[in-house]
Amino acid sequence: MNIDSICVKEFDPKITTAPHILPIYATSSFCFDNIDQGIEIFNNIESGNTYSRYSNPTVDAVAAKIAQLESHGSPDIQADAILTSSGMSAISTLAIGILQAGDAILTQENLYGGTTELFRGLLEPLGITTIFMNLRDLQAVEDAFHKHSNIRLLYFETPSNPTLACLPIRELAELATRHGALSCIDNTFATPYLQQPLRLGVDLCVHSTTKFLNGHGNSIAGAIVAKDKTLLRKKIWNAMKLAGTNCSPFEAWLTHNGLKTLAVRMERHCKNAQTIAEYLENHPNVAKVNYPGLPSHADHAIARAQMSDFGAMLSFELKGGFDTGVAFMNRLRFCTLAPTLGDTDTLVLHPASSSHLRVPPEVRLRNGITDGLIRLSVGIENVQDIINDLEGGFSDMP
Ligand SMILES: *Cc1c(COP(=O)(O)O)cnc(C)c1O
């Protein structure tokens, strides 16, 4: 071999060694010993990787871990998962994988904003309609299934953004199954450490791993977890492969790094959030606190029945309106003003002036998003530092 060819040639892929830490397989393709082996792998006769849009060892290792977390404790559930390029691509890949023109989605009004836009703006023109309703009303859900025989998917979030409203998972999953529809839950807020929807009868789970699963705010990725391996591998994986919504190995690797501390982070997140919720509930400038861990929360009993703890997300209403909310945000020094959630540091958001600025006020108010509502993604810092900062935010208020 000439020296310029030595520069070009790859390393010997047959090197076998045992890395302690998951390596990043930054490779678009995988090579074959011979053409027969290539054919067998392409035809799924022999297992193996061909091309990283189809599968990649780094990505698959992380997907397998998330599937294991979602079904942990139920050996009868053989969950399977794929990773996607974002939480939104998990939801869109799932939708185009299992739905077609003429089908309908039954869901709630207070979904993650991007999901509502996806359903209305992208799926509706393709002939997939969405019925929005209050899913707390199980009789109304039952009636909707009778009225619309084309409902193929019951899609929901619990706890939901930003008022932490909770929905009864087992009851909704049972209704979907009885009417021949699939159920899917966005489990981003709770994570499988606090809530395992597949074990409560739900068929599919999606995640924005960007949030708590990564936990460190340094990657964007998503996951789809299914109880039915065939549905996932045939329809949903196929949609991912053809829409090209696969996760990059680097993003998967960052997610994996974060996942290692999920349990310890969630325990601290929950402990801090409960302490802050109780502090806020007793504060004279606060009209209302939305945290499922408070007995005063309308859905406390539902949350208690299906979650092992109540999570890091909470919101509260300041006495006063829009300007009070803006002034409060501007006085914070320790908490970070950033439009995400689930990171190790405490993040604060004023929905009326940011995430919900373009949502019609009547829709916003109907879902409890008042002008003075503040949302907190409680971090894992020393809780006293967070409380001191909030106390500073309240200073000078009447
Ligand atoms: C952030 C988020 C999404 C979208 O996830 P991306 O990773 O930003 O695409 C979906 N659902 C919920 C509940 C979220 O918080």
Side-chain angles (χ1 to χ4, degrees):
M1 214 191 288
N2 289 298
I3 191 162
D4 44 357
S5 291
I6 293 175
C7 295
V8 172
K9 290 312 273 180
E10 255 307 339
F11 83 119
D12 177 3
K14 297 286 151 30
I15 289 174
T16 54
T17 182
H20 170 212
I21 300 299
L22 175 66
I24 304 172
Y25 282 86
T27 178
S28 55
S29 67
F30 301 84
C31 42
F32 311 126
D33 287 342
N34 52 56
I35 192 73
D36 295 329
Q37 189 199 28
I39 292 168
E40 300 223 319
I41 293 176
F42 264 111
N43 286 328
N44 286 326
I45 296 164
E46 190 179 321
S47 70
N49 301 107
T50 56
Y51 191 61
S52 277
R53 176 157 48 78
Y54 295 31
S55 66
N56 173 286
T58 310
V59 176
D60 292 351
V62 185
K65 183 178 272 195
I66 294 173
Q68 206 183 341
L69 294 173
E70 282 290 358
S71 55
H72 182 257
S74 286
D76 51 311
I77 299 178
Q78 303 289 314
D80 196 3
I82 57 173
L83 292 192
T84 57
S85 57
S86 67
M88 284 315 301
S89 72
I91 303 164
S92 55
T93 302
L94 173 103
I96 57 177
I98 64 174
L99 301 172
Q100 56 187 46
D103 290 346
I105 304 168
L106 181 62
T107 193
Q108 71 210 59
E109 212 171 40
N110 52 344
L111 285 174
Y112 175 74
T115 309
T116 306
E117 261 185 82
L118 166 73
F119 289 173
R120 281 195 201 283
L122 272 185
L123 298 185
E124 192 94 45
L126 297 177
I128 299 163
T129 51
T130 303
I131 304 157
F132 292 93
M133 59 178 287
N134 175 11
L135 299 181
R136 268 298 292 280
D137 186 346
L138 296 176
Q139 187 55 51
V141 174
E142 174 94 56
D143 294 345
F145 272 116
H146 284 294
K147 193 166 158 215
H148 308 275
S149 58
N150 62 339
I151 298 172
R152 287 278 101 75
L153 177 66
L154 174 64
Y155 182 93
F156 58 109
E157 289 175 15
T158 176
S160 69
N161 191 26
T163 59
L164 290 306
C166 299
L167 292 165
I169 299 173
R170 196 187 287 279
E171 287 79 355
L172 285 168
E174 190 272 324
L175 266 168
T177 306
R178 189 146 48 77
H179 292 280
L182 289 167
S183 52
C184 177
I185 180 167
D186 182 334
N187 204 25
T188 300
F189 270 35
T191 82
Y193 190 67
L194 303 180
Q195 174 173 281
Q196 296 167 295
L198 300 188
R199 297 184 66 196
L200 299 171
V202 169
D203 298 302
L204 296 147
C205 236
V206 287
H207 283 280
S208 167
T209 66
T210 312
K211 316 293 169 52
F212 293 100
L213 294 185
N214 172 304
H216 298 74
N218 58 14
S219 75
I220 292 221
I224 308 169
V225 193
K227 221 164 20 184
D228 180 352
K229 224 184 177 84
T230 311
L231 176 76
L232 187 85
R233 289 291 149 192
K234 289 240 152 70
K235 293 194 162 172
I236 302 172
W237 176 79
N238 199 49
M240 180 210 73
K241 182 187 85 176
L242 296 176
T245 49
N246 54 292
C247 180
S248 115
F250 184 56
E251 304 290 287
W253 184 84
L254 288 167
T255 307
H256 188 250
N257 245 10
L259 266 175
K260 293 177 186 179
T261 54
L262 178 69
V264 284
R265 281 187 287 111
M266 291 318 288
E267 279 168 23
R268 181 68 170 260
H269 275 303
C270 293
K271 191 161 169 272
N272 281 359
Q274 184 76 37
T275 305
I276 290 168
E278 287 167 11
Y279 153 78
L280 289 168
E281 191 160 55
N282 292 312
H283 201 285
N285 292 112
V286 174
K288 188 178 182 209
V289 183
N290 300 308
Y291 184 62
L294 292 176
S296 61
H297 191 274
D299 302 328
H300 177 66
I302 295 177
R304 180 171 281 282
Q306 62 196 23
M307 301 176 78
S308 61
D309 207 335
F310 303 102
M313 302 304 298
L314 64 83
S315 63
F316 59 98
E317 260 172 57
L318 292 168
K319 287 181 184 161
F322 191 88
D323 295 339
T324 317
V326 171
F328 177 86
M329 296 287 288
N330 281 332
R331 276 195 291 264
L332 298 177
R333 294 290 171 269
F334 178 80
C335 300
T336 309
L337 275 60
T340 187
L341 59 101
D343 291 354
T344 51
D345 54 338
T346 298
L347 306 171
V348 60
L349 185 86
H350 178 221
S353 70
S354 58
S355 58
H356 290 70
L357 192 62
R358 282 190 298 273
V359 175
E362 67 278 8
V363 175
R364 176 160 72 71
L365 293 171
R366 190 159 68 224
N367 290 291
I369 305 158
T370 55
D371 290 345
L373 191 80
I374 305 285
R375 187 191 79 180
L376 279 185
S377 169
V378 177
I380 61 171
E381 308 97 328
N382 185 301
V383 74
Q384 199 53 52
D385 286 321
I386 308 170
I387 290 178
N388 290 347
D389 197 35
L390 297 173
E391 199 56 41
F394 291 122
S395 60
D396 303 331
M397 278 193 193

